[in-house]
Amino acid sequence: MAALAAVTLLSLTACATDEPGAGPSGGSSSSAAGSGTGEQSKFFVQADYDAELALLGATPTGPADKPWEQMLNPTMVDTATFRKAGPHKICFSNAALNNPWRQVGFKTMQAEVEAQKSRIKEFVHVDAEGKDQKQIADINDLLGKGCDALIVSPNTTATLTPAVEAACKAGLPVIVFDRGVNTKCPVTFINPIGGYGFGHAGAEFVSQKMKPGGKVLALRILPGVDVLETRWSAAKVAFDKAKVDVVGVEFTDGDPAKTKKIVDDYLQRYGTIDGVWMDAGAVAVAAVEAFQDAGKPVPPINGEDQLDFLKVWKDKNLTAIAPTYPTYQWRTPIIAALRILDGQQVPSPWKLPQPTITQDNLDRYLDADMPPLHYAMCGCTDLPGYPQRWK
């Protein structure tokens, strides 16, 4: 059956990557356009938005000291059909290792594999290098490698959906995490609360801390990825409600130099920017530095739990917040794969807690001993090789 699925999957390599539609968020209209925010994203689903915001206040079940094993409002599914004797071969098709968040996460996953070495005989990792067509080919190849379970972090949502569906048809358990796909066929989809929660937390903070009706610059990484599109979707809702003036929605490609140029261009054009919202924090420090280089005050801004941003926040007394998409989630797919192969029930979807760093708890997450590009929410301090593996 795996061979048949692999043949079928070969035909998918001609598919194009996800393409953004009209408007700065790359989507079609599903709510009225606000001041500068454009049309709502095609990824926006009101029911999902409502559910994620509700989860922000939910109490997780599971070990109090292991958030990567916790669950929010879980619905358990039976996995008895996948039960088999170990040790196991676990395969992982990874979208990319092209930014610090993914690099820290993958080190955490590798350490979890090492911690489970008595149960995992082989761990196969394939890096798609941020290319849809390569990941489709990677999944096709892995279907012929005798994997006991397949973990997928898809590069983009729509384009990788047929590849994931083909893997499901091969008969092995498929676990998707981090970024989603448009199918329910995987045994589970693992991620924290999600993009709506992240986008809402940052946009609501920026809106409340800046002057009423002020100018906001929204900085995004790339289009076509569900978790990033939903972050912007939620931010749009918040900004429209607050009636702020979103003067720009720009893609940075995660490039610090490009980020600085964008900020500088907007400062020259408008003189003042009153708030900065970001759909990911990897280039938050670059944005801060652009204001400093221009001799301008840094406005209310959101980043993420990357340590360089947390340090700048503390040192410069910024008005800031850090919604997170914790890298501890990279442990969970390994744990889930082993539970599934044991025939244990797992939640589907598996929603993990998604803490937010605020001025009140900032000091708890600062760590002068770890590198600037390390992420505070790694959940890795109990894993083999800490801290050297992450330095």
Side-chain angles (χ1 to χ4, degrees), residues 201-214 216 239 242 244 274-276 298-302 313 318-321 358-360:
E204 184 176 61
F205 175 87
V206 170
S207 298
Q208 291 174 349
K209 294 297 183 180
M210 61 183 281
K211 70 179 185 181
V216 171
F239 288 140
V244 301
D274 303 300
V276 174
V298 181
I301 186 172
N302 76 278
W313 175 358
L318 301 180
T319 300
I321 194 170
T358 67
Q359 188 66 47
D360 291 339

Side-chain angles (χ1 to χ4, degrees), residues 253-307:
D253 301 325
D255 182 344
K258 185 174 181 180
T259 301
K260 285 187 174 184
K261 184 177 187 307
I262 290 169
V263 173
D264 187 60
D265 287 347
Y266 274 82
L267 285 172
Q268 291 188 40
R269 188 181 311 171
Y270 293 100
T272 301
I273 297 295
D274 303 300
V276 174
W277 177 88
M278 313 187 77
D279 72 358
V283 291
V285 170
V288 169
E289 290 173 347
F291 283 93
Q292 295 173 329
D293 292 347
K296 300 285 188 179
V298 181
I301 186 172
N302 76 278
E304 212 166 339
D305 58 314
Q306 192 167 287
L307 290 182

